[in-house]
Amino acid sequence: MRGVSTSSTFSVGDIFTFWPIQQFRILKPGIPLFQNRPMTTRTNWTSTIHQHDPRWTAVDAYAFSHSHPASQPNAKALENARMASMAAGLPDIALSPAQGKFLALHCRASAVTHALEVGTLGGYSAIWVASENPQLRLTTIEYNPKHVAVARKNIELAGLSDRIEVIQGAGIDVLASLRDEVVAGTRPQFGFVFIDADKENNWNYFKLAKDMVKSNSVICVDNVVRGGRLADLGNTEPYVVASREVVENAGKEPGVDSVVIQTVGEKSYDGWLWAVVS
């Protein structure tokens, strides 16, 4: 079996591997035939193979330099927030630039005016969403007081303190309080929710958020694929079990239509649950 050639010319009979479960063979020049068959008798879920590919980072870097060049008005604020978060010792678990812009563009396309985020970290994703949508106000929840301080400073330096509200507290407690405000009519319903916090509470956060969104709004839950471990039913890691819980429950929840999207890029291999609440 030959690996992918560095040349763009492929020969008849060449076999190429697509992930651990699929191959294709060149039967005629330029015409691949996909063969959906296992490459091995058992998937090696604990292996780090396929968890990162330098091509993913290269594509992100190339494409993003064109879709969001450094001349964009928010580019400096976003880079400052990223660097300040690193300097403060925050974990490097924020969205990639492409993912951040994707969420921001979704909010623009859907004309979202009020968004909710669970898991602020250093404010990077919050800055993305708010800076790309001048009509939008964002409420973001963070438990860690150090993260809150860093995020508020980053948001202030980005000039967005008037449109991004950072609330410190336990996610379930804060969401319950926000839900009471929405039900009472003292806070507007949300048009988009992004959940990226302690994974064990994914479904609890989802249920609370569902009660606060407008019809046809999206709730996005990050990091549910877990490098493919989502589908390893023998894996009992808490984060993986919580990911399966939110995926399975969202699929059964009345008034919810959902899909899981796998993602690759500079942040490696993971994915989102994307759910529309009717």
Side-chain angles (χ1 to χ4, degrees):
M1 182 183 298
R2 287 180 288 233
V4 176
S5 168
T6 56
S7 168
S8 59
T9 302
F10 305 124
S11 302
V12 173
D14 278 355
I15 299 175
F16 301 93
T17 302
F18 270 17
W19 303 104
I21 60 169
Q22 193 174 70
Q23 290 181 336
F24 70 86
R25 181 193 300 273
I26 301 296
L27 297 183
K28 296 180 181 180
I31 303 177
L33 174 67
F34 285 87
Q35 301 173 318
N36 292 308
R37 58 184 178 84
M39 296 292 294
T40 60
T41 57
R42 184 179 185 276
T43 303
N44 183 6
W45 295 99
T46 59
S47 172
T48 58
I49 192 168
H50 301 307
Q51 297 306 294
H52 183 73
D53 186 315
R55 290 174 297 181
W56 304 343
T57 301
V59 169
D60 270 356
Y62 164 76
F64 197 76
S65 69
H66 291 280
S67 63
H68 206 85
S71 58
Q72 290 285 82
N74 61 354
K76 190 174 189 305
L78 287 163
E79 181 61 13
N80 287 345
R82 189 182 70 83
M83 296 301 293
S85 296
M86 289 178 59
L90 270 60
D92 184 21
I93 54 174
L95 293 178
S96 72
Q99 291 170 332
K101 186 164 187 179
F102 178 84
L103 296 186
L105 291 179
H106 164 75
C107 288
R108 188 190 306 174
S110 302
V112 174
T113 56
H114 293 84
L116 174 64
E117 177 183 53
V118 186
T120 312
L121 196 60
Y124 184 73
S125 51
I127 292 171
W128 258 118
V129 170
S131 63
E132 289 278 320
N133 294 279
Q135 83 289 351
L136 182 146
R137 291 184 175 274
L138 175 70
T139 301
T140 181
I141 304 165
E142 175 58 52
Y143 178 75
N144 189 306
K146 178 180 178 180
H147 296 179
V148 169
V150 173
R152 284 176 174 160
K153 184 64 175 178
N154 288 338
I155 291 165
E156 178 186 357
L157 292 175
L160 294 168
S161 296
D162 60 329
R163 291 195 292 113
I164 300 177
E165 177 188 14
V166 182
I167 302 177
Q168 182 180 348
I172 291 176
D173 295 339
V174 176
L175 286 170
S177 178
L178 293 176
R179 182 183 60 183
D180 291 344
E181 293 178 28
V182 170
V183 171
T186 57
R187 181 181 290 266
Q189 289 180 302
F190 297 102
F192 176 68
V193 180
F194 181 55
I195 299 172
D196 187 14
D198 53 310
K199 308 307 176 183
E200 292 91 340
N201 275 311
N202 273 345
W203 180 240
N204 292 325
Y205 295 153
F206 188 102
K207 288 188 295 182
L208 286 162
K210 178 175 175 279
D211 295 336
M212 293 186 274
V213 297
K214 299 191 297 183
S215 178
N216 292 321
S217 295
V218 165
I219 299 176
C220 175
V221 184
D222 198 15
N223 306 127
V224 299
V225 173
R226 315 299 304 177
R229 294 189 295 278
L230 174 70
D232 179 7
L233 302 184
N235 190 310
T236 58
E237 296 174 75
Y239 281 11
V240 177
V241 172
S243 294
R244 283 199 293 269
E245 179 187 32
V246 72
V247 168
E248 293 172 8
N249 287 346
K252 297 179 290 188
E253 183 73 4
V256 173
D257 201 1
S258 63
V259 66
V260 170
I261 300 295
Q262 300 183 80
T263 60
V264 298
E266 66 179 78
K267 289 291 185 177
S268 192
Y269 168 38
D270 210 324
W272 292 338
L273 172 75
W274 199 261
V276 176
V277 180
S278 61

